mmCIF file of all heavy atoms in Angstrom:
data_model
loop_
_atom_site.group_PDB
_atom_site.id
_atom_site.type_symbol
_atom_site.label_atom_id
_atom_site.label_comp_id
_atom_site.label_asym_id
_atom_site.label_seq_id
_atom_site.Cartn_x
_atom_site.Cartn_y
_atom_site.Cartn_z
ATOM 1 N N ARG A 21 -1.078 13.736 -0.467
ATOM 2 C CA ARG A 21 -0.582 15.011 -1.025
ATOM 3 C C ARG A 21 0.843 14.876 -1.622
ATOM 4 O O ARG A 21 1.169 15.593 -2.615
ATOM 5 C CB ARG A 21 -0.670 16.104 0.118
ATOM 6 C CG ARG A 21 -0.089 17.451 -0.302
ATOM 7 C CD ARG A 21 -0.936 18.154 -1.402
ATOM 8 N NE ARG A 21 -2.211 18.489 -0.850
ATOM 9 C CZ ARG A 21 -2.457 19.614 -0.201
ATOM 10 N NH1 ARG A 21 -1.570 20.465 0.111
ATOM 11 N NH2 ARG A 21 -3.750 19.838 0.193
ATOM 12 N N TRP A 22 1.652 14.040 -0.990
ATOM 13 C CA TRP A 22 3.037 13.924 -1.461
ATOM 14 C C TRP A 22 3.138 13.427 -2.921
ATOM 15 O O TRP A 22 4.131 13.646 -3.604
ATOM 16 C CB TRP A 22 3.819 13.000 -0.493
ATOM 17 C CG TRP A 22 3.319 11.545 -0.457
ATOM 18 C CD1 TRP A 22 2.304 11.061 0.217
ATOM 19 C CD2 TRP A 22 3.881 10.465 -1.190
ATOM 20 N NE1 TRP A 22 2.149 9.706 0.027
ATOM 21 C CE2 TRP A 22 3.109 9.308 -0.859
ATOM 22 C CE3 TRP A 22 4.918 10.340 -2.091
ATOM 23 C CZ2 TRP A 22 3.373 8.063 -1.409
ATOM 24 C CZ3 TRP A 22 5.192 9.048 -2.680
ATOM 25 C CH2 TRP A 22 4.428 7.937 -2.339
ATOM 26 N N LEU A 23 2.076 12.778 -3.382
ATOM 27 C CA LEU A 23 2.127 12.240 -4.777
ATOM 28 C C LEU A 23 1.870 13.372 -5.827
ATOM 29 O O LEU A 23 1.892 13.104 -7.027
ATOM 30 C CB LEU A 23 1.080 11.129 -4.909
ATOM 31 C CG LEU A 23 1.553 9.783 -4.408
ATOM 32 C CD1 LEU A 23 0.355 8.805 -4.401
ATOM 33 C CD2 LEU A 23 2.702 9.234 -5.199
ATOM 34 N N GLU A 24 1.619 14.566 -5.316
ATOM 35 C CA GLU A 24 1.522 15.712 -6.289
ATOM 36 C C GLU A 24 2.907 16.156 -6.760
ATOM 37 O O GLU A 24 2.988 16.896 -7.766
ATOM 38 C CB GLU A 24 0.825 16.907 -5.624
ATOM 39 C CG GLU A 24 -0.696 16.691 -5.358
ATOM 40 C CD GLU A 24 -1.317 17.924 -4.733
ATOM 41 O OE1 GLU A 24 -0.565 18.923 -4.456
ATOM 42 O OE2 GLU A 24 -2.510 17.921 -4.498
ATOM 43 N N ASP A 25 3.943 15.813 -6.057
ATOM 44 C CA ASP A 25 5.302 16.268 -6.457
ATOM 45 C C ASP A 25 5.627 15.729 -7.843
ATOM 46 O O ASP A 25 5.294 14.610 -8.214
ATOM 47 C CB ASP A 25 6.329 15.808 -5.405
ATOM 48 C CG ASP A 25 6.179 16.476 -4.101
ATOM 49 O OD1 ASP A 25 5.470 17.513 -4.030
ATOM 50 O OD2 ASP A 25 6.703 15.976 -3.098
ATOM 51 N N ASP A 26 6.452 16.479 -8.623
ATOM 52 C CA ASP A 26 6.851 16.117 -9.945
ATOM 53 C C ASP A 26 7.733 14.916 -9.875
ATOM 54 O O ASP A 26 8.730 14.863 -9.063
ATOM 55 C CB ASP A 26 7.604 17.296 -10.610
ATOM 56 C CG ASP A 26 7.787 17.143 -12.085
ATOM 57 O OD1 ASP A 26 8.020 16.015 -12.525
ATOM 58 O OD2 ASP A 26 7.666 18.148 -12.813
ATOM 59 N N VAL A 27 7.435 13.901 -10.708
ATOM 60 C CA VAL A 27 8.167 12.663 -10.695
ATOM 61 C C VAL A 27 9.674 12.932 -11.070
ATOM 62 O O VAL A 27 10.543 12.148 -10.673
ATOM 63 C CB VAL A 27 7.544 11.690 -11.695
ATOM 64 C CG1 VAL A 27 7.624 12.177 -13.134
ATOM 65 C CG2 VAL A 27 8.163 10.289 -11.553
ATOM 66 N N ARG A 28 9.988 14.024 -11.799
ATOM 67 C CA ARG A 28 11.311 14.313 -12.120
ATOM 68 C C ARG A 28 12.122 14.927 -10.980
ATOM 69 O O ARG A 28 13.335 15.011 -11.037
ATOM 70 C CB ARG A 28 11.366 15.282 -13.314
ATOM 71 C CG ARG A 28 11.033 14.639 -14.697
ATOM 72 C CD ARG A 28 10.567 15.681 -15.671
ATOM 73 N NE ARG A 28 9.244 16.165 -15.336
ATOM 74 C CZ ARG A 28 8.111 15.626 -15.820
ATOM 75 N NH1 ARG A 28 8.183 14.661 -16.627
ATOM 76 N NH2 ARG A 28 6.958 16.097 -15.401
ATOM 77 N N GLU A 29 11.357 15.431 -10.016
ATOM 78 C CA GLU A 29 12.004 16.141 -8.894
ATOM 79 C C GLU A 29 11.981 15.398 -7.540
ATOM 80 O O GLU A 29 12.724 15.656 -6.667
ATOM 81 C CB GLU A 29 11.274 17.502 -8.664
ATOM 82 C CG GLU A 29 11.214 18.346 -9.906
ATOM 83 C CD GLU A 29 12.582 18.892 -10.390
ATOM 84 O OE1 GLU A 29 13.423 19.114 -9.498
ATOM 85 O OE2 GLU A 29 12.775 18.996 -11.566
ATOM 86 N N SER A 30 11.140 14.385 -7.439
ATOM 87 C CA SER A 30 10.965 13.677 -6.174
ATOM 88 C C SER A 30 11.338 12.199 -6.321
ATOM 89 O O SER A 30 10.770 11.475 -7.121
ATOM 90 C CB SER A 30 9.461 13.747 -5.700
ATOM 91 O OG SER A 30 9.227 12.868 -4.685
ATOM 92 N N ASP A 31 12.292 11.760 -5.523
ATOM 93 C CA ASP A 31 12.725 10.385 -5.538
ATOM 94 C C ASP A 31 11.632 9.463 -5.041
ATOM 95 O O ASP A 31 11.407 8.343 -5.530
ATOM 96 C CB ASP A 31 13.985 10.163 -4.657
ATOM 97 C CG ASP A 31 15.219 10.838 -5.288
ATOM 98 O OD1 ASP A 31 15.206 11.112 -6.451
ATOM 99 O OD2 ASP A 31 16.153 11.098 -4.530
ATOM 100 N N ASP A 32 10.870 9.920 -4.036
ATOM 101 C CA ASP A 32 9.731 9.087 -3.510
ATOM 102 C C ASP A 32 8.701 8.849 -4.559
ATOM 103 O O ASP A 32 8.194 7.721 -4.640
ATOM 104 C CB ASP A 32 9.151 9.829 -2.333
ATOM 105 C CG ASP A 32 10.056 9.774 -1.044
ATOM 106 O OD1 ASP A 32 10.989 8.986 -1.069
ATOM 107 O OD2 ASP A 32 9.754 10.437 -0.111
ATOM 108 N N VAL A 33 8.340 9.888 -5.301
ATOM 109 C CA VAL A 33 7.284 9.725 -6.340
ATOM 110 C C VAL A 33 7.821 8.852 -7.474
ATOM 111 O O VAL A 33 7.139 7.993 -8.001
ATOM 112 C CB VAL A 33 6.820 11.094 -6.921
ATOM 113 C CG1 VAL A 33 5.843 10.922 -8.043
ATOM 114 C CG2 VAL A 33 6.178 11.909 -5.798
ATOM 115 N N ALA A 34 9.100 9.050 -7.837
ATOM 116 C CA ALA A 34 9.721 8.223 -8.929
ATOM 117 C C ALA A 34 9.680 6.781 -8.567
ATOM 118 O O ALA A 34 9.427 5.907 -9.385
ATOM 119 C CB ALA A 34 11.151 8.717 -9.210
ATOM 120 N N GLU A 35 10.001 6.471 -7.312
ATOM 121 C CA GLU A 35 10.031 5.047 -6.839
ATOM 122 C C GLU A 35 8.548 4.524 -6.832
ATOM 123 O O GLU A 35 8.358 3.361 -7.192
ATOM 124 C CB GLU A 35 10.626 4.985 -5.449
ATOM 125 C CG GLU A 35 10.580 3.579 -4.830
ATOM 126 C CD GLU A 35 11.458 2.571 -5.589
ATOM 127 O OE1 GLU A 35 12.329 3.003 -6.398
ATOM 128 O OE2 GLU A 35 11.202 1.355 -5.431
ATOM 129 N N TRP A 36 7.617 5.283 -6.437
ATOM 130 C CA TRP A 36 6.172 4.873 -6.442
ATOM 131 C C TRP A 36 5.759 4.558 -7.831
ATOM 132 O O TRP A 36 5.075 3.508 -8.092
ATOM 133 C CB TRP A 36 5.334 6.007 -5.838
ATOM 134 C CG TRP A 36 3.887 5.658 -5.710
ATOM 135 C CD1 TRP A 36 3.276 5.055 -4.638
ATOM 136 C CD2 TRP A 36 2.844 5.897 -6.676
ATOM 137 N NE1 TRP A 36 1.884 4.853 -4.928
ATOM 138 C CE2 TRP A 36 1.633 5.360 -6.104
ATOM 139 C CE3 TRP A 36 2.811 6.473 -7.933
ATOM 140 C CZ2 TRP A 36 0.407 5.470 -6.845
ATOM 141 C CZ3 TRP A 36 1.592 6.577 -8.614
ATOM 142 C CH2 TRP A 36 0.414 6.093 -8.050
ATOM 143 N N VAL A 37 6.120 5.438 -8.782
ATOM 144 C CA VAL A 37 5.767 5.190 -10.240
ATOM 145 C C VAL A 37 6.394 3.889 -10.713
ATOM 146 O O VAL A 37 5.696 3.069 -11.407
ATOM 147 C CB VAL A 37 6.209 6.380 -11.119
ATOM 148 C CG1 VAL A 37 6.152 5.996 -12.566
ATOM 149 C CG2 VAL A 37 5.382 7.623 -10.807
ATOM 150 N N LYS A 38 7.631 3.657 -10.365
ATOM 151 C CA LYS A 38 8.333 2.464 -10.788
ATOM 152 C C LYS A 38 7.614 1.180 -10.273
ATOM 153 O O LYS A 38 7.376 0.255 -11.010
ATOM 154 C CB LYS A 38 9.791 2.503 -10.321
ATOM 155 C CG LYS A 38 10.598 1.223 -10.583
ATOM 156 C CD LYS A 38 12.089 1.453 -10.173
ATOM 157 C CE LYS A 38 12.883 0.198 -10.362
ATOM 158 N NZ LYS A 38 12.538 -0.845 -9.439
ATOM 159 N N VAL A 39 7.319 1.197 -8.963
ATOM 160 C CA VAL A 39 6.647 0.056 -8.361
ATOM 161 C C VAL A 39 5.263 -0.196 -8.939
ATOM 162 O O VAL A 39 4.899 -1.335 -9.246
ATOM 163 C CB VAL A 39 6.598 0.233 -6.853
ATOM 164 C CG1 VAL A 39 5.702 -0.830 -6.203
ATOM 165 C CG2 VAL A 39 7.961 0.197 -6.202
ATOM 166 N N GLU A 40 4.507 0.871 -9.141
ATOM 167 C CA GLU A 40 3.136 0.729 -9.679
ATOM 168 C C GLU A 40 3.144 0.215 -11.060
ATOM 169 O O GLU A 40 2.338 -0.651 -11.485
ATOM 170 C CB GLU A 40 2.402 2.068 -9.598
ATOM 171 C CG GLU A 40 2.039 2.533 -8.178
ATOM 172 C CD GLU A 40 0.961 1.665 -7.538
ATOM 173 O OE1 GLU A 40 0.216 0.998 -8.292
ATOM 174 O OE2 GLU A 40 0.814 1.753 -6.334
ATOM 175 N N ASN A 41 4.053 0.707 -11.935
ATOM 176 C CA ASN A 41 4.152 0.256 -13.309
ATOM 177 C C ASN A 41 4.562 -1.220 -13.373
ATOM 178 O O ASN A 41 4.074 -1.993 -14.192
ATOM 179 C CB ASN A 41 5.151 1.106 -14.100
ATOM 180 C CG ASN A 41 4.512 2.246 -14.821
ATOM 181 O OD1 ASN A 41 3.278 2.214 -15.060
ATOM 182 N ND2 ASN A 41 5.254 3.251 -15.238
ATOM 183 N N GLU A 42 5.493 -1.665 -12.520
ATOM 184 C CA GLU A 42 5.832 -3.037 -12.498
ATOM 185 C C GLU A 42 4.705 -3.921 -12.040
ATOM 186 O O GLU A 42 4.463 -4.986 -12.667
ATOM 187 C CB GLU A 42 6.991 -3.258 -11.495
ATOM 188 C CG GLU A 42 8.329 -2.640 -11.980
ATOM 189 C CD GLU A 42 9.464 -2.718 -10.928
ATOM 190 O OE1 GLU A 42 9.138 -3.097 -9.757
ATOM 191 O OE2 GLU A 42 10.644 -2.417 -11.299
ATOM 192 N N TYR A 43 3.917 -3.476 -11.099
ATOM 193 C CA TYR A 43 2.777 -4.246 -10.621
ATOM 194 C C TYR A 43 1.742 -4.369 -11.777
ATOM 195 O O TYR A 43 1.148 -5.453 -12.015
ATOM 196 C CB TYR A 43 2.134 -3.527 -9.429
ATOM 197 C CG TYR A 43 0.874 -4.149 -8.905
ATOM 198 C CD1 TYR A 43 0.922 -5.411 -8.232
ATOM 199 C CD2 TYR A 43 -0.334 -3.509 -8.995
ATOM 200 C CE1 TYR A 43 -0.202 -5.966 -7.731
ATOM 201 C CE2 TYR A 43 -1.502 -4.068 -8.476
ATOM 202 C CZ TYR A 43 -1.403 -5.328 -7.878
ATOM 203 O OH TYR A 43 -2.555 -5.856 -7.316
ATOM 204 N N THR A 44 1.499 -3.270 -12.508
ATOM 205 C CA THR A 44 0.525 -3.293 -13.622
ATOM 206 C C THR A 44 0.994 -4.212 -14.697
ATOM 207 O O THR A 44 0.267 -5.015 -15.259
ATOM 208 C CB THR A 44 0.363 -1.879 -14.110
ATOM 209 O OG1 THR A 44 -0.200 -1.053 -13.101
ATOM 210 C CG2 THR A 44 -0.577 -1.852 -15.367
ATOM 211 N N GLN A 45 2.321 -4.119 -15.064
ATOM 212 C CA GLN A 45 2.822 -4.914 -16.153
ATOM 213 C C GLN A 45 2.794 -6.429 -15.769
ATOM 214 O O GLN A 45 2.524 -7.247 -16.670
ATOM 215 C CB GLN A 45 4.231 -4.493 -16.510
ATOM 216 C CG GLN A 45 4.311 -3.167 -17.274
ATOM 217 C CD GLN A 45 3.397 -3.107 -18.483
ATOM 218 O OE1 GLN A 45 3.416 -4.020 -19.324
ATOM 219 N NE2 GLN A 45 2.647 -2.042 -18.628
ATOM 220 N N ASP A 46 3.069 -6.727 -14.514
ATOM 221 C CA ASP A 46 3.015 -8.128 -14.036
ATOM 222 C C ASP A 46 1.554 -8.657 -14.280
ATOM 223 O O ASP A 46 1.396 -9.831 -14.658
ATOM 224 C CB ASP A 46 3.407 -8.217 -12.587
ATOM 225 C CG ASP A 46 4.932 -8.101 -12.394
ATOM 226 O OD1 ASP A 46 5.669 -8.132 -13.421
ATOM 227 O OD2 ASP A 46 5.329 -7.822 -11.256
#
Side-chain angles (χ1 to χ4, degrees):
R21 174 68 65 86
W22 64 278
L23 283 171
E24 289 182 358
D25 292 344
D26 193 322
V27 67
R28 285 159 289 267
E29 305 293 326
S30 168
D31 291 340
D32 286 349
V33 176
E35 178 63 21
W36 184 88
V37 167
K38 177 176 176 290
V39 170
E40 290 289 342
N41 266 341
E42 288 174 351
Y43 178 68
T44 297
Q45 289 305 314
D46 286 345

